[in-house]
Amino acid sequence: SQELEQSPQSLIVQEGKNLTINCTSSKTLYGLYWYKQKYGEGLIFLMMLQKGGEEKSHEKITAKLDEKKQQSSLHITASQPSHAGTYLCGAEATGGFKTIFGAGTRLFVKA
Amino acid sequence: DADVTQTPRNRITKTGKRIMLECSQTKGHDRMYWYRQDPGLGLRLIYYSFDVKDINKGEISDGYSVSRQAQAKFSLSLESAIPNQTALYFCATSPQGQETQYFGPGTRLLVL
């Protein structure tokens, strides 16, 4: 079965610093989604990537899907306290019509 | 008003009790999902439904059952709750042809 591994599991950064979160798949990715979750709340969709080499940005968050389509990175520039939360990657599971998720990366931003 | 709602938001129950978690959506989506979230394990799919007459098991369906009463409603039941079903449960929806999912706020369940 396909698995998604996220790294790091948690991250503490000083406000204003840049950071990167990675999501690695055990199989080729046909659609990769990034979600953000605030503590105890539901997931909020951030971005979707489908093509190898694709890059998308929303405000200070940029996500990339590598050419081989087995890894994605989420980069936050000049982090702010509002960026704090858990970031999860999700992917269309091969051979099915459902999404699988990584375990998440918990981000803390120190003011 | 929220597009995807879940009731209750919090629930404490005892081992062996039957409980039902409810999900309603106003987005008009055909597809609905139930997940549980445990620390360090991410989200795991329990059941999913692509329309009212289509119900499918996810990766961890044992001990759970579902009912799709209407396009807008998808309920999750624990027939006989056990402590390792303590978790945060999420309902999600998606439109046909898209994998982007829209999540409810979650139900925090504690089984004693």
Side-chain angles (χ1 to χ4, degrees):
Chain A
S1 62
Q2 186 174 11
E3 293 181 351
L4 295 177
E5 184 173 335
Q6 287 188 238
S7 62
Q9 290 185 336
S10 63
L11 189 57
I12 304 173
V13 298
Q14 190 69 42
E15 183 178 359
K17 295 294 185 183
N18 303 336
L19 64 107
T20 299
I21 298 169
N22 293 303
C23 175
T24 301
S25 173
S26 58
K27 297 183 180 180
T28 300
L29 294 163
Y30 293 97
L32 189 285
Y33 307 82
W34 283 101
Y35 291 85
K36 180 185 177 184
Q37 181 182 24
K38 291 192 175 181
Y39 179 72
E41 297 181 11
L43 280 66
I44 305 295
F45 171 76
L46 294 176
M47 279 173 276
M48 180 183 73
L49 304 165
Q50 288 185 303
K51 300 177 183 177
E54 186 175 9
E55 179 176 321
K56 287 187 177 178
S57 294
H58 175 67
E59 298 180 343
K60 294 185 178 179
I61 301 177
T62 300
K64 300 179 184 179
L65 182 61
D66 76 353
E67 290 288 345
K68 295 183 179 179
K69 296 175 68 176
Q70 284 200 259
Q71 186 175 53
S72 178
S73 61
L74 185 82
H75 184 77
I76 299 177
T77 303
S79 59
Q80 301 170 357
S82 61
H83 289 128
T86 299
Y87 290 83
L88 293 94
C89 61
E92 296 174 23
T94 53
F97 296 95
K98 54 189 184 292
T99 302
I100 58 173
F101 290 88
T105 295
R106 183 170 284 190
L107 172 64
F108 301 90
V109 180
K110 293 192 297 184
Chain B
D1 288 341
D3 295 318
V4 184
T5 57
Q6 291 183 233
T7 56
R9 293 294 314 277
N10 296 281
R11 178 75 183 268
I12 301 173
T13 191
K14 294 183 179 180
T15 297
K17 294 291 186 181
R18 181 182 188 277
I19 66 165
M20 179 183 289
L21 309 182
E22 299 189 359
C23 176
S24 294
Q25 53 118 344
T26 58
K27 298 186 79 67
H29 292 166
D30 289 322
R31 300 181 177 188
M32 298 186 74
Y33 310 79
W34 274 105
Y35 294 91
R36 66 177 278 176
Q37 186 178 36
D38 299 275
L41 294 178
L43 287 166
R44 292 183 291 167
L45 183 63
I46 306 172
Y47 271 95
Y48 61 103
S49 169
F50 283 173
D51 65 40
V52 175
K53 297 180 181 179
D54 178 75
I55 304 288
N56 304 281
K57 292 183 177 180
E59 62 178 301
I60 53 163
S61 58
D62 288 348
Y64 302 94
S65 62
V66 291
S67 173
R68 185 82 184 265
Q69 300 95 324
Q71 186 203 40
K73 296 184 181 295
F74 193 34
S75 300
L76 176 72
S77 294
L78 286 68
E79 297 300 326
S80 179
I82 55 177
N84 75 3
Q85 291 178 312
T86 293
L88 187 54
Y89 289 85
F90 287 105
C91 172
T93 73
S94 67
Q96 191 175 14
Q98 289 187 30
E99 289 298 326
T100 304
Q101 296 184 18
Y102 300 85
F103 285 77
T107 294
R108 193 172 294 276
L109 175 67
L110 174 60
V111 183
L112 300 176

